[in-house]
Amino acid sequence: MRLRTTLIHASAAGLIMSPMLGLAAEQPISNLGLIGAYNEYEFNSDNDRIDGRDDDVGKVGIFYNYGNKMTGGPGVIFQIGANGRYGERGDDEIKDARADLDLGMRMPLNNNSNFDVLVGVGYDWTRYEMDDRSVGDVELSNKSPFAKAAVGWHHRGNNVITRLEVGARYSIEGEAKIKLDGVGSETVDLDEKFNPYAELNFLWDSGFTAGLYYTQTNYELKNRQDLAQNTELESNEFGITLGMAF
């Protein structure tokens, strides 16, 4: 009788706890890790002192995000995150950072796969510092809020969760400051641009995370100025991320 009562209590506890355990598996998580990236920069301008400058730069950085984009089931998903990267090539230096907030809806395709639709907002900042003996020091700083829209595919396997996201960031009311050594500096508005991106991320049961990404960012001055004449900086970045979820 005692054994039967114990089994009944255990079964009842299991029935009560099962949904809670399933929900816990889909709760938001933190993800912290490292970034390794390769950038192709192309500088175009009517100013002959800086036109035609192309650089390939390796960068390293860190990232942190919090949300349930990787763990959530059908329903509302979200993520907030930030990252920073640094690179140098010879005497040239690149510094950039991004923060963003995503909110979306996840809809089931089958038992293991889901389709995501997301929107978001964020902020981009980059500084490109060049040291050229022929023209002197050149510094270009860009900052821009952005809106974003994306679609995603989410798959929950036996030991790993896979997620693919493809979308675009739309820069809004960006600002650029260009500074030429011995000449002066000028601050101008940036054109509003669509900047495409794609990312593929993995989360293992062990808590280990990894990802691949590509993003294009185009900074183009809205108006012609005496110093920064029709200046444009295009960046194509390919990167990997390695981290731990907790």
Side-chain angles (χ1 to χ4, degrees), residues 9-220:
H9 288 168
S11 299
L15 290 173
I16 294 171
M17 289 299 293
S18 293
M20 295 178 65
L21 291 173
L23 180 62
E26 298 174 355
Q27 289 298 313
I29 60 170
S30 290
N31 188 18
L32 176 66
L34 302 175
I35 301 172
Y38 170 79
N39 269 80
E40 297 175 347
Y41 287 97
E42 182 178 345
F43 222 148
N44 297 301
S45 176
D46 290 346
N47 190 316
D48 293 336
R49 295 184 63 182
I50 55 178
D51 183 49
R53 182 65 178 265
D54 297 333
D55 276 335
D56 299 329
V57 182
K59 297 193 295 187
V60 295
I62 59 173
F63 74 91
Y64 171 78
N65 58 60
Y66 173 79
N68 68 343
K69 279 211 304 187
M70 289 299 292
T71 57
V76 176
I77 56 174
F78 77 96
Q79 180 170 285
I80 184 170
N83 62 69
R85 298 169 303 284
Y86 172 83
E88 60 180 42
R89 182 175 183 268
D91 294 325
D92 297 347
E93 293 185 357
I94 306 291
K95 304 171 186 176
D96 49 27
R98 174 180 295 129
D100 51 13
L101 169 64
D102 298 339
L103 182 64
M105 182 63 66
R106 175 161 290 161
M107 296 161 283
L109 295 174
N110 54 45
N111 290 337
N112 297 319
S113 298
N114 302 283
F115 177 73
D116 300 342
V117 177
L118 301 103
V119 294
V121 294
Y123 190 84
D124 260 329
W125 173 87
T126 184
R127 176 172 292 168
Y128 190 171
E129 300 176 359
M130 298 183 294
D131 184 5
D132 193 314
R133 293 180 180 178
S134 63
V135 300
D137 294 336
V138 179
E139 181 181 299
L140 177 64
S141 299
N142 303 291
K143 53 185 179 181
S144 175
F146 62 81
K148 65 187 290 189
V151 294
W153 173 75
H154 175 268
H155 177 76
R156 189 182 295 272
N158 292 331
N159 300 306
V160 60
I161 296 174
T162 304
R163 186 173 183 279
L164 173 67
E165 179 174 318
V166 179
R169 301 179 178 94
Y170 183 68
S171 59
I172 304 169
E173 296 184 355
E175 184 180 270
K177 180 178 180 180
I178 186 165
K179 181 179 179 181
L180 299 181
D181 187 37
V183 178
S185 63
E186 199 163 50
T187 300
V188 294
D189 294 334
L190 291 170
D191 268 339
E192 296 178 349
K193 292 281 188 177
F194 282 101
N195 298 304
Y197 75 93
E199 56 185 47
L200 177 64
N201 291 296
F202 304 92
L203 168 62
W204 281 267
D205 288 347
S206 62
F208 177 72
T209 67
L212 302 171
Y213 72 88
Y214 164 78
T215 182
Q216 181 184 94
T217 309
N218 192 305
Y219 303 100
E220 184 174 356

